[in-house]
Amino acid sequence: MKKITFSLDKSFSKLYSSYRKELLKEGVILEKALTALEKIGLSPNEARVFLTIYKEDGKTGYKISKDSGIARSKIYPLLSSLVEKGLIFQSKEEPIVYRSLTLKELVAKLDLDRQKHIQDVRENLTQLDTKVDKAPVWQLASYEQAMERALYEIQTAQKSLYVQIYTEDLTPPLIKALERAESRLHDFVVILFSQHHRYSLPFRRYYKHYFEAAKKADYHGRWLSVVADSQAVVSGRISEEAGSDLLWTQNSSMVFMAQEYVLHDAYNLRTLNKLDKEAREVFGADLADVRNIYFD
């Protein structure tokens, strides 16, 4: 009898543990969904009501109030607001029930709204005069901001593009932008670093650096440089340990130096590639002696 009791207790414990994990997982998913909805402009309560309807259409206001945990005195103004915003529908006949947009419908609406907002900004801001001071150097507040700025410079370059970047920092949008830039630009150079020696890219014009370990030791992190049209540069160090130090500027001297740095990397790597056998005989199989520049 003891064995049976123990077995039942153990089975119940496993079942409860599994159930608890599922509840926790669902809770995390719901919190992320609420946060995402708040980012598109919904209040916390609006987001909660929308998700309650999204999970099951055809609920009355009373049922939505009960399932969302929001008082009935507050639920109807929230429902009216969501109807007005075009995020839910209400039935014409009594009793009134509600339906939310599907995921596909919601994404389509957000995309349409975004395009309208962009058009409004374009139409209104183009009427304002702006003065641009190209001398300052601007600190980029975060890694994400630096990557967004790098993507912008790559996408908008019309004459030339010179890039030094690690594969670890290449997102799909950056890769696609570089692929398109290569097809439209003659003056296009990418110096590709990789901590894990993964050098594959869906375009042809790039140089594999090979000296990542030494470079990382020199700079205490990864290196990024994006020079667009000889007019602007995103540049700096990316380090998990010391923190990233990245900047953007149109300062002509800094742009010139960053572009020359990429070009000289390309000259050296092109030479080593063309003279690979001879270079390895002179500098060693791993070309390590290339960096021995101090005559000692």
Side-chain angles (χ1 to χ4, degrees):
M1 184 62 69
K2 284 184 179 179
K3 277 190 175 180
I4 294 173
T5 304
F6 175 76
S7 178
L8 287 171
D9 287 347
K10 192 173 182 181
S11 296
F12 176 77
S13 177
K14 283 184 177 178
L15 184 64
Y16 174 74
S17 178
S18 175
Y19 176 67
R20 188 168 179 274
K21 284 180 181 176
E22 286 300 313
L23 284 177
L24 289 171
K25 182 179 178 183
E26 183 178 359
V28 170
I29 292 170
L30 283 172
E31 284 303 315
K32 287 183 176 179
L34 287 168
T35 300
L37 289 170
E38 288 173 32
K39 284 181 178 178
I40 65 169
L42 299 192
S43 71
N45 278 347
E46 284 178 330
R48 192 168 294 279
V49 170
F50 178 86
L51 280 183
T52 302
I53 304 169
Y54 181 81
K55 290 172 71 178
E56 185 183 348
D57 281 340
K59 291 181 178 180
T60 62
Y62 170 78
K63 188 71 164 60
I64 294 165
S65 171
K66 185 178 177 182
D67 291 350
S68 66
I70 297 172
R72 288 182 68 185
S73 60
K74 295 181 179 178
I75 204 73
Y76 290 102
L78 290 168
L79 289 168
S80 295
S81 176
L82 290 171
V83 169
E84 189 176 333
K85 290 177 179 179
L87 297 174
I88 65 172
F89 303 99
Q90 67 179 44
S91 63
K92 195 171 182 180
E93 59 281 338
E94 297 285 346
I96 295 175
V97 294
Y98 297 87
R99 171 196 183 274
S100 75
L101 296 181
T102 65
L103 177 59
K104 186 176 180 180
E105 291 167 343
L106 178 60
V107 170
K109 175 176 170 48
L110 291 175
D111 189 53
L112 182 61
D113 289 347
R114 182 178 64 86
Q115 293 299 329
K116 287 179 180 176
H117 296 328
I118 291 172
Q119 186 60 29
D120 285 344
V121 169
R122 183 180 288 116
E123 288 177 358
N124 289 288
L125 264 64
T126 51
Q127 299 177 47
L128 298 174
D129 292 329
T130 58
K131 295 178 181 179
V132 179
D133 184 355
K134 295 186 177 181
V137 175
W138 306 104
Q139 185 77 33
L140 296 169
S142 65
Y143 172 82
E144 290 73 21
Q145 187 184 31
M147 291 297 112
E148 287 176 6
R149 190 73 215 186
L151 178 61
Y152 171 80
E153 297 297 350
I154 292 167
Q155 289 175 329
T156 57
Q158 296 300 314
K159 296 178 181 178
S160 63
L161 188 65
Y162 300 94
V163 177
Q164 292 169 314
I165 195 165
Y166 275 76
T167 55
E168 287 76 10
D169 298 307
L170 279 172
T171 60
L174 277 169
I175 292 172
K176 179 58 70 174
L178 286 168
E179 190 176 4
R180 289 174 176 169
E182 184 196 40
S183 67
R184 73 174 181 272
L185 300 173
H186 175 270
D187 295 354
F188 174 90
V189 174
V190 173
I191 309 297
L192 187 63
F193 300 83
S194 176
Q195 293 178 178
H196 302 95
H197 302 289
R198 296 171 186 153
Y199 297 107
S200 178
L201 285 176
F203 52 86
R204 181 177 58 85
R205 286 188 280 160
Y206 63 93
Y207 294 95
K208 304 170 189 177
H209 195 276
Y210 297 118
F211 299 109
E212 290 87 347
K215 282 290 183 183
K216 191 173 182 186
D218 290 344
Y219 297 123
H220 306 290
R222 302 191 301 278
W223 182 254
L224 172 70
S225 189
V226 176
V227 187
D229 292 336
S230 302
Q231 295 293 318
V233 59
V234 178
S235 184
R237 181 188 62 178
I238 301 163
S239 172
E240 290 81 6
E241 298 83 17
S244 298
D245 184 16
L246 294 151
L247 58 86
W248 172 77
T249 186
Q250 292 177 298
N251 181 287
S252 58
S253 295
M254 294 196 70
V255 171
F256 172 76
M257 287 189 292
Q259 182 167 307
E260 283 300 299
Y261 190 85
V262 180
L263 282 168
H264 278 279
D265 248 1
Y267 297 153
N268 291 330
L269 291 170
R270 175 174 164 78
T271 301
L272 291 174
N273 288 341
K274 291 291 185 181
L275 304 174
D276 183 67
K277 183 179 177 181
E278 296 87 340
R280 292 181 189 277
E281 288 176 357
V282 174
F283 299 114
D286 59 358
L287 300 173
D289 202 41
V290 167
R291 291 176 55 82
N292 184 17
I293 60 173
Y294 301 109
F295 299 98
D296 55 359

